[in-house]
Amino acid sequence: MRVTRRLLGVLGGLVLLAVLAEPVAAQSSVNERLISGLNQKLLYVAVPITVLVEGILIYTVYKFRNNDDPSPTQENRRLEITWTVATAIILLFVGLASYQVLGSAFIGGATATSPDDGQVANLTQDYPGEKVPAGENAVQVEVVAQKYLWNVYYPEENVTGEKNRVVIPANRTVYIHVTSVDWLHAFHAPDLGLKQDAFPGQYNTIITKATEKGTYQLYCAEYCGVGHSQMLGTVEVVSQEKYEQYLQKQQQSGSGGANATASNNTTAGNATGGNATNATNATNATTGNATNATNATAGGNATNATANATANGTANGTA
């Protein structure tokens, strides 16, 4: 009896620790907070059930360990009704808790099955499925997956970002439009609670709001070929000021590079054309000189030959 009480006391203590335990790590985004909160609520249910079942099993094994002639079980309607009602209550609790999270726009409100509220301007692909921000000051980012990298664009600013680097501001709602140009990939930033498939031919939109600044690892969570393990990137959460500075830097880098390239090409073309013209002139001069030399030589020889013939004829006639 004492052993049973001690065992139940230990199991009760474990249940209490599980219920009172709070996550110590800071939650990096609204998505992470919702997912962690749901996991914690489910833990409140799972741990007591596990402890209860295992406790009954251990108690039964210990109590009847020397029973060599067990009796058949008898029907107990009260017990059957009790565990049926308890199971129904548990399922109802799990269902309501899950629905509250899945019903949030940050988790289940921006999928490929969402109603089409319009189209996002300046997207690089003519695919359907993107979720348009509904009357809020949200940031929009387009992430296009391909073997084996992430292409990043900012459609509102018409800016091309760096490959494998997604920069978003903290404490602002962000819409990430994910798609692919070849085959299946998956955008996965686990520390931010973000995961969405990248399908060719359609967009899937992630809605998030990051609350902790920092750099978070980005993975491809769908096996996509021999370079799958190298398809890595980062999601950087920065302040609003640094985010604006980053966009300005990308704009200046993109336009300056284009102008420099165009100028260099024009200069190179002019230089090449000038060199070609000079070479043609030099060829013509050389040809002209050769022609003149040939004409001069031919004319001189012909004149000399005529003079020699006349002289010889006069001398022969005199003789």
Side-chain angles (χ1 to χ4, degrees):
M1 191 66 177
R2 292 180 179 179
V3 175
T4 303
R5 290 179 179 178
R6 291 178 181 177
L7 180 60
L8 293 176
V10 172
L11 296 177
L14 293 176
V15 173
L16 183 62
L17 289 176
V19 171
L20 296 179
E22 295 288 341
V24 295
Q27 294 165 341
S28 56
S29 68
V30 174
N31 308 69
E32 176 66 18
R33 177 176 60 81
L34 291 171
I35 295 173
S36 298
L38 176 60
N39 289 337
Q40 188 173 3
K41 291 178 182 179
L42 297 182
L43 188 66
Y44 292 160
V45 176
V47 170
I49 293 176
T50 302
V51 171
L52 177 63
V53 173
E54 294 299 324
I56 294 175
L57 178 62
I58 294 173
Y59 170 77
T60 302
V61 171
Y62 178 80
K63 181 177 181 180
F64 299 102
R65 66 187 184 279
N66 296 322
N67 188 356
D68 297 330
D69 187 19
S71 301
T73 58
Q74 297 180 356
E75 181 180 357
N76 190 330
R77 292 184 179 180
R78 184 176 299 177
L79 179 61
E80 293 176 359
I81 293 174
T82 300
W83 75 46
T84 301
V85 172
T87 303
I89 294 174
I90 292 171
L91 291 177
L92 182 62
F93 173 80
V94 172
L96 290 176
S98 301
Y99 179 77
Q100 291 177 353
V101 174
L102 294 175
S104 170
F106 291 97
I107 302 298
T111 63
T113 59
S114 298
D116 187 7
D117 297 329
Q119 293 183 345
V120 178
N122 298 327
L123 292 179
T124 62
Q125 308 298 321
D126 188 19
Y127 298 156
E130 74 274 17
K131 182 75 173 180
V132 180
E136 54 184 314
N137 184 24
V139 174
Q140 297 191 66
V141 182
E142 179 187 9
V143 179
V144 181
Q146 72 177 76
K147 300 181 293 184
Y148 295 100
L149 53 87
W150 306 95
N151 297 302
V152 184
Y153 307 94
Y154 298 85
E156 289 180 308
E157 292 78 13
N158 200 17
V159 171
T160 299
E162 301 174 79
K163 296 183 184 299
N164 300 324
R165 184 188 181 194
V166 181
V167 180
I168 60 175
N171 300 313
R172 283 188 65 185
T173 302
V174 179
Y175 282 62
I176 304 177
H177 309 296
V178 181
T179 190
S180 171
V181 295
D182 40 40
W183 55 22
L184 294 180
H185 301 278
F187 182 97
H188 185 34
D191 292 336
L192 289 171
L194 306 179
K195 188 176 183 181
Q196 185 60 269
D197 291 330
F199 296 141
Q202 75 176 48
Y203 281 101
N204 290 332
T205 301
I206 304 172
I207 305 178
T208 185
K209 180 185 288 186
T211 55
E212 289 290 329
K213 301 175 186 177
T215 301
Y216 302 90
Q217 186 67 57
L218 170 63
Y219 302 91
C220 177
E222 187 79 33
Y223 181 71
C224 55
V226 294
H228 169 71
S229 60
Q230 283 78 43
M231 193 169 175
L232 304 174
T234 58
V235 178
E236 297 184 21
V237 181
V238 299
S239 64
Q240 179 64 30
E241 181 181 0
K242 289 186 177 180
Y243 174 70
E244 294 176 355
Q245 292 175 355
Y246 172 77
L247 293 180
Q248 293 177 358
K249 180 180 177 181
Q250 293 303 113
Q251 288 175 342
Q252 294 172 357
S253 174
S255 60
N259 293 335
T261 303
S263 177
N264 291 335
N265 289 339
T266 302
T267 303
N270 293 335
T272 304
N275 292 335
T277 303
N278 293 334
T280 302
N281 293 334
T283 303
N284 293 336
T286 303
T287 304
N289 293 335
T291 303
N292 292 335
T294 302
N295 294 335
T297 303
N301 292 336
T303 302
N304 293 334
T306 303
N308 292 334
T310 303
N312 291 335
T314 303
N316 292 334
T318 302

